[in-house]
Amino acid sequence: MQLARQRLCALPPAAILSRMAQITPPPKAASTAVSGSAVQPERPRGVGLSTLALSGLLALGLLQSLILLWGGTLVGAWSGALSDVLGQPGANSGFSHPGLALLQICLGRGIAAVCLWHYWRGRNWARILVLLWSFVAVAEALSFLAGHNLDPALLMARPLSFFQAVLASVLLYWLNTPAVRVWYRKTSASAGDLIADRLRGRLCTAVEFQGNLWRLRFEHDAKLILRCPWRIVLDDNLAFVASSEAGRAPAPGYEAGAATGAAYSSAAPQDELPPEAVPAPLHSPSEARRLLENLRVTAVRVAPRSSDLVLSFEMGIELQTWSAEVSSGPLWSYSDPGLTVIAEEAGVKAQIADATTQSSE
């Protein structure tokens, strides 16, 4: 050991740095793979921005309260002008007991600051308090508009009040989105939640069939590949059936010929069936395109044990998959620039780009 240390000290600095670089561990990958049907979510990006915006409102409110408290002749005139801009009562509504008022101001702003800190840390009770504040702020803005002939220009003339109303409206929606609720509740996001957060509202742009797989393309480079059997249900009626065997295997609960009212065996060749019993449109890729293309996804569900996927579309259309043994590859897979989900018989695996969290299962 002593000899090795002497040899290392005898080396020039450049050689020492070169050897250190050789034993430096490789950097972490840009994406994190997690196993299981649930993934611990990362902090939403909007948490920091909303915390900064709320902190700014808190600081301006504290400044205004102090000006109103200590307002004299000159300062009172300044606070009155500032109050007109902020949309709050003027300096004439002073405090009869300055010491008690100062204590109330410091106590109230201190509690609000503590709530904001826990809001940024991800406490769900703090999220609920921010939601309550947002509801009150929006109600006050609507009350102001109702008392001024619904003229938004009067509200916009008070920049801080207008900004507060807009921020509260955004928070009322954003704090109730699935990804934000999951992070604040510190629960694991299921594969269905992850896919729904990205796929809900996106348009199905193409349905392709090649070899033994189906490929559904959506807006923003989202893609769903199906190798397992699947079907399309329209208003609780079977409208399309596909499978890994070139889209020909019947779905569970499907009786051959039911679409046309004729009974026949699904194992019989089509050229031996009467024309009215051949369900060609039910299995045709063009029928799948007609049913799914140019429709938006409204809901996503993934069965936790069987990995069955259900996509709900507009017009009461639902795509349903079910587990079956496939020749090669996963049952189905979803991918977009930020997420990859692969469903196999053993479960679901998710890979989130730029994530640093681990699975809870």
Side-chain angles (χ1 to χ4, degrees), residues 244-319:
S244 58
E245 297 297 330
R248 298 300 305 171
Y254 169 67
E255 297 180 0
T260 57
Y264 66 95
S265 172
S266 59
Q270 287 194 6
D271 55 358
E272 298 180 6
L273 299 175
E276 64 275 8
V278 178
L282 195 64
H283 300 281
S284 171
S286 60
E287 182 69 9
R289 298 188 187 99
R290 185 186 69 84
L291 291 169
L292 297 181
E293 286 184 356
N294 299 319
L295 291 181
R296 297 189 181 276
V297 178
T298 59
V300 180
R301 300 195 310 274
V302 177
R305 296 183 179 179
S306 62
S307 303
D308 294 344
L309 173 68
V310 178
L311 295 184
S312 298
F313 291 83
E314 299 171 315
M315 310 296 292
I317 293 178
E318 197 170 72
L319 184 153

Side-chain angles (χ1 to χ4, degrees), residues 43-56 119-120 163 167 171 174:
R43 182 197 302 272
R45 296 181 180 179
V47 172
L49 293 176
S50 59
T51 303
L52 287 176
L54 291 171
S55 300
Y119 169 81
W120 183 78
F163 174 73
L167 177 63
L171 290 177
W174 181 72

Side-chain angles (χ1 to χ4, degrees), residues 60-79:
L60 289 175
L62 176 61
L63 177 62
Q64 183 194 19
S65 298
L66 293 177
I67 291 175
L68 292 176
L69 177 62
W70 300 104
T73 304
L74 179 60
V75 179
W78 179 33
S79 68

Side-chain angles (χ1 to χ4, degrees), residues 141-155 158:
L142 293 177
S143 177
F144 176 84
L145 291 176
H148 293 80
N149 298 323
L150 300 179
D151 187 1
L154 296 177
L155 182 61
R158 304 183 175 192

Side-chain angles (χ1 to χ4, degrees), residues 97-122:
H97 302 284
L100 180 60
L102 180 60
L103 179 61
Q104 292 175 349
I105 291 173
C106 294
L107 183 61
R109 304 301 173 179
I111 294 176
V114 172
C115 290
L116 279 181
W117 168 253
H118 287 286
Y119 169 81
W120 183 78
R121 293 288 302 274

